[in-house]
């Protein structure tokens, strides 16, 4: 555990990832400090999901090193679940457990992974449901909620684990337009609260107002990495310019 | 109907045997089905092959033959072993109850293997990833996510497997299990009234099947509460 890898909450060094012959990530280097908020964008298939999935080892990288809070993710890692519980993840398709009520969705991992008592888990679940503004839905099943509500439950479920890092993989792109804002509001609220976040999103308004840094990916590489003012005002790379033109004229 | 006088208690005990066979074989059938499905889904080539051989063999042979082979096969084996120690021994068998129960569990378990396999594949992979991302172990994910999600998918065909178990119990009478079918055969030799005696057997089996069917319907309703809600 080097001093340097401890300084950053997340560190990726020369990371490559292959799916068979196909190289999905090419020499990725990324450092994220505590309380930093990163937005990743880029065209479809550019490797955005693959990158953040390497951070909780839903995908295994093939080359290079990944550190989470100083712990290197390798095949030899003794307890990957100890790392995973510190890294919250929110998926595009919500992925709530369909057979559990909302409050049970929030309690199950607290009880099993964090070994918290049922009563405390429930209390914490209700606390975070208040925070995402849907405490009244606690006893419904996921299917009974709107997409926006389901995604807010998914965010609350991740927060119940008290993670050090939150990863978002296009959390609003499966939502009807009128529900996008209610989810973004929750994310802005989290960012204001000092959560370390990496968000894959094409919500450029969110990126502009919340991100400390924006990362643009294409063909498995990080093409450009800059502050929002620079990213939108004065993009350096041709590919970034093209992408921004397309996405902003939409 | 007068012919039935004196046979009611035999039918009652026979019905109790059906009940016992059903519960024991249900447990074994679920175990064989789950093991078979897990083996078929595993990356282990040997496990995969064994499970394939199992389903091919047991789905492709007449059920009554499996029961006979199980009973006489185990008897030959046990007799041979016993004769090693005591040459005087003529015949040793496992009780027809257990030979029959295991045989029908293996048969229906081979169908359940396919049902469970399909149901495991039907579980939303997103749920599994979410559980992993929350730090749940593979075993926790299996018990708390995979199983509860898969049984809802498996339930309708599983109900049919339970009915098969009940009906197959009648076949075990061939190796001397004293269930209702066996009772009827004895009663017929005494009274010479086959239709009356067999109709009672039919009524008893139908009673059991109806209870099972209603239970499955109830369970399906219970499972549906998570999917049928109003928005
Ligand atoms: N499990 C997999 N097996 C094979 N190829 C994969 C797998 N997952 C991703 N890929 C490929 O890797 C590349 C990067 O995929 P990834 O999902 O990371 O892209 P993305 O930037 O998130 O795209 P999108 O905006 O569509 O979500 C794609 O070309 C994809 O086809
Ligand atoms: Mg993606």
């Amino acid at each position: 555990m080097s001093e340097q890898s401890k300084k950053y909450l997340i560190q990726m060094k020369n990371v490559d990832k292959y799916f068979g012959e196909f190289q999905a990530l090419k020499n990725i280097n990324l450092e994220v400090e505590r309380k930093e908020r990163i937005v990743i964008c880029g065209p479809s298939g550019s490797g955005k999901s693959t990158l953040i999935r390497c951070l909780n080892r839903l995908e295994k990288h093939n080359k290079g090193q990944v550190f989470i809070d100083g712990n290197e993710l390798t095949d030899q890692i003794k307890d990957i679940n100890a790392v995973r519980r510190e890294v919250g993840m929110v998926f595009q398709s919500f992925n709530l457990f369909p057979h559990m009520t909302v409050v049970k969705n929030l309690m199950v991992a607290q009880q099993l992974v964090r070994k918290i008592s049922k009563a405390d888990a429930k209390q914490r679940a209700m606390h975070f449901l208040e925070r995402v503004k849907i405490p009244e839905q606690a006893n419904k099943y996921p299917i009974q909620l709107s997409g926006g509500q389901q995604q807010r439950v998914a965010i609350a479920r991740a927060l119940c684990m008290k993670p050090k890092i939150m990863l978002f993989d296009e959390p609003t792109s499966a939502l009807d337009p009128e529900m996008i804002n209610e989810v973004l509001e929750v994310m802005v609220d989290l960012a204001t609260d000092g959560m370390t976040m990496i968000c894959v999103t094409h919500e450029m308004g969110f990126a502009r107002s919340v991100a400390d840094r924006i990362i643009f990916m294409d063909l498995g590489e990080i093409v450009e990495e800059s502050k929002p003012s620079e990213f939108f005002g004065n993009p350096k790379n041709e590919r970034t310019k093209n992408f921004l033109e397309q996405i902003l004229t939409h | 109907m007068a012919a039935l006088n004196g046979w009611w208690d035999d039918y009652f005990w026979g019905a109790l045997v059906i009940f016992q066979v059903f519960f024991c074989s249900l447990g074994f059938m679920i175990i064989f089905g789950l093991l078979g499905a897990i083996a078929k889904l595993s990356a282990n080539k040997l496990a995969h092959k064994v499970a394939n051989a199992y389903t091919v063999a047991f789905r492709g042979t007449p059920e009554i033959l499996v029961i006979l082979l199980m009973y006489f096969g185990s008897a030959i084996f046990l007799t041979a072993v016993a004769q090693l120690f005591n040459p005087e021994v003529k015949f040793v068998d496992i009780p027809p109850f257990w030979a029959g129960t295991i045989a029908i569990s293996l048969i229906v378990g081979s169908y359940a293997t396919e049902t469970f396999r399909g149901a495991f594949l039907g579980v939303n992979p997103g749920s599994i990833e979410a559980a992993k991302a929350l730090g749940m172990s593979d075993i926790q994910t299996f018990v708390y996510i995979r199983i509860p999600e898969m049984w809802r998918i498996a339930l309708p065909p599983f109900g049919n497997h339970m009915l098969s178990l009940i009906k197959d119990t009648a076949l075990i009478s061939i190796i001397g299990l004293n269930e209702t079918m066996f009772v009827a055969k004895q009663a017929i030799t005494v009274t010479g009234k086959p239709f009356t005696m067999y109709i009672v057997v039919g009524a008893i089996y139908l009673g059991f099947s109806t209870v099972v069917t209603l239970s499955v319907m109830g369970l399906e309703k219970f499972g549906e509460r998570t999917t049928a809600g109003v928005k």
Side-chain angles (χ1 to χ4, degrees):
Chain A
M1 195 182 292
S2 70
E3 270 313 298
Q4 203 193 1
S5 54
K6 194 80 179 131
K7 176 179 167 216
Y8 299 110
L9 205 41
I10 299 171
Q11 190 175 30
M12 301 178 91
K13 283 186 186 170
N14 309 105
V15 169
D16 287 351
K17 166 72 189 170
Y18 291 84
F19 292 108
E21 296 281 290
F22 177 76
Q23 187 167 11
L25 294 180
K26 296 173 188 161
N27 194 32
I28 299 292
N29 286 285
L30 176 66
E31 278 136 13
V32 181
E33 288 180 34
R34 267 157 241 277
K35 302 201 174 185
E36 256 196 306
R37 291 150 300 194
I38 312 284
V39 162
I40 302 179
C41 59
S44 182
S46 56
K48 308 179 296 291
S49 300
T50 308
L51 189 153
I52 65 169
R53 289 161 61 86
C54 282
L55 297 176
N56 61 358
R57 222 161 160 73
L58 287 181
E59 300 290 357
K60 295 179 180 178
H61 57 280
N62 302 102
K63 241 196 198 162
Q65 291 175 295
V66 178
F67 296 92
I68 300 294
D69 201 13
N71 299 304
E72 187 176 0
L73 306 188
T74 63
D75 278 336
Q76 282 77 43
I77 192 161
K78 274 192 239 78
D79 191 2
I80 182 63
N81 294 324
V83 176
R84 282 184 176 152
R85 67 184 179 226
E86 305 297 341
V87 183
M89 187 164 207
V90 175
F91 302 86
Q92 182 174 357
S93 49
F94 329 136
N95 293 351
L96 296 177
F97 306 129
H99 60 287
M100 294 180 189
T101 58
V102 163
V103 68
K104 280 268 155 52
N105 260 278
L106 270 60
M107 289 164 65
V108 62
Q110 293 188 61
Q111 292 177 262
L112 293 174
V113 181
R114 289 277 192 212
K115 313 285 182 209
I116 292 171
S117 76
K118 189 171 175 184
D120 290 349
K122 181 154 191 180
Q123 199 184 8
R124 198 188 278 183
M126 290 313 298
H127 168 79
F128 281 106
L129 280 181
E130 302 263 353
R131 182 126 186 229
V132 300
K133 304 188 184 74
I134 35 175
E136 73 284 358
Q137 309 289 348
N139 294 312
K140 290 199 183 160
Y141 285 93
I143 190 94
Q144 297 170 294
L145 307 187
S146 73
Q149 290 173 327
Q150 288 192 50
Q151 194 59 298
R152 284 186 282 158
V153 172
I155 295 173
R157 177 174 67 178
L159 291 175
C160 279
M161 300 298 285
K162 300 261 170 92
K164 293 180 182 150
I165 302 162
M166 283 287 284
L167 307 174
F168 293 84
D169 192 357
E170 306 205 33
T172 57
S173 52
L175 296 176
D176 294 336
E178 72 271 20
M179 294 173 187
I180 291 178
N181 275 332
E182 64 188 53
V183 171
L184 288 179
E185 272 169 27
V186 170
M187 292 169 63
V188 170
D189 180 46
L190 261 182
T192 318
D193 216 40
M195 175 62 78
T196 309
M197 301 163 68
I198 299 188
C199 311
V200 175
T201 180
H202 291 158
E203 292 297 328
M204 288 302 141
F206 172 82
R208 203 189 288 264
S209 62
V210 169
D212 296 309
R213 266 187 292 156
I214 302 182
I215 288 173
F216 173 71
M217 290 185 72
D218 193 17
L219 303 171
E221 294 172 307
I222 294 183
V223 174
E224 184 152 351
E225 185 176 347
S226 50
K227 289 197 161 25
S229 53
E230 225 173 300
F231 186 82
F232 292 107
N234 184 21
K236 289 182 213 71
N237 195 290
E238 271 310 305
R239 285 192 269 176
T240 318
K241 279 180 202 160
N242 286 339
F243 176 77
L244 281 175
E245 259 166 36
Q246 275 182 15
I247 204 158
L248 293 177
T249 51
H250 252 294
Chain B
M1 278 293 137
L4 282 165
N5 277 340
W7 292 101
W8 286 118
D9 56 336
D10 298 276
Y11 275 118
F12 172 78
W13 295 117
L16 198 64
V17 171
I18 297 177
F19 189 73
Q20 290 168 330
V21 170
F22 176 70
F23 269 95
C24 295
S25 59
L26 182 63
F28 283 118
M29 180 265 269
I30 292 173
I31 292 169
F32 293 144
L34 281 179
L35 287 179
I38 292 166
K40 283 206 173 191
L41 293 170
S42 87
N44 186 315
K45 283 222 175 78
L46 182 69
H48 195 93
K49 280 197 176 129
V50 171
N52 268 340
Y54 164 56
T55 51
V56 168
F58 282 86
R59 294 200 302 170
T61 2
E63 309 182 350
I64 198 155
L65 195 66
V66 174
I67 294 169
L68 288 169
L69 289 174
M70 174 70 75
Y71 177 68
F72 289 111
S74 59
I76 289 170
F77 177 75
L78 286 179
T79 307
V81 172
Q83 282 172 345
L84 285 181
F85 298 99
N86 179 3
E88 304 286 287
V89 173
K90 291 278 173 336
F91 186 74
V92 184
D93 65 353
I94 32 178
F97 178 90
W98 287 112
T101 298
I102 298 292
I104 66 172
S105 311
L106 280 169
I107 296 162
V108 183
S110 68
Y111 292 91
T113 293
E114 299 299 344
T115 300
F116 290 157
R117 191 185 82 94
F120 276 125
L121 288 176
V123 173
N124 174 17
S127 297
I128 309 295
E129 285 204 329
K132 274 193 186 175
L134 286 163
M136 288 167 67
S137 69
D138 288 350
I139 293 175
Q140 289 170 339
T141 306
F142 186 79
V143 173
Y144 291 92
I145 311 299
R146 273 189 213 269
I147 292 277
E149 285 195 32
M150 74 70 100
W151 78 254
R152 291 172 166 79
I153 305 173
L155 198 55
F158 187 75
N160 291 335
H161 300 330
M162 294 208 278
L163 292 180
S164 298
L165 283 181
I166 291 194
K167 292 192 281 186
D168 287 357
T169 305
L171 300 175
I172 308 179
S173 63
I174 196 172
I175 52 172
L177 180 73
N178 51 350
E179 52 70 75
T180 53
M181 201 62 181
F182 188 82
V183 172
K185 281 182 207 155
Q186 289 182 315
I188 290 161
T189 49
V190 177
T191 62
K193 292 245 165 38
F195 186 76
T196 314
M197 293 304 166
Y198 283 135
I199 203 91
V200 175
V201 176
I204 291 171
Y205 273 101
L206 197 59
F208 277 117
S209 318
T210 308
V211 172
V212 167
T213 305
L214 291 177
S215 315
V216 170
M217 278 165 61
L219 279 174
E220 277 181 47
K221 264 239 162 64
F222 175 76
E224 269 167 19
R225 81 202 187 288
T226 63
T227 49
V230 240
K231 289 244 169 182

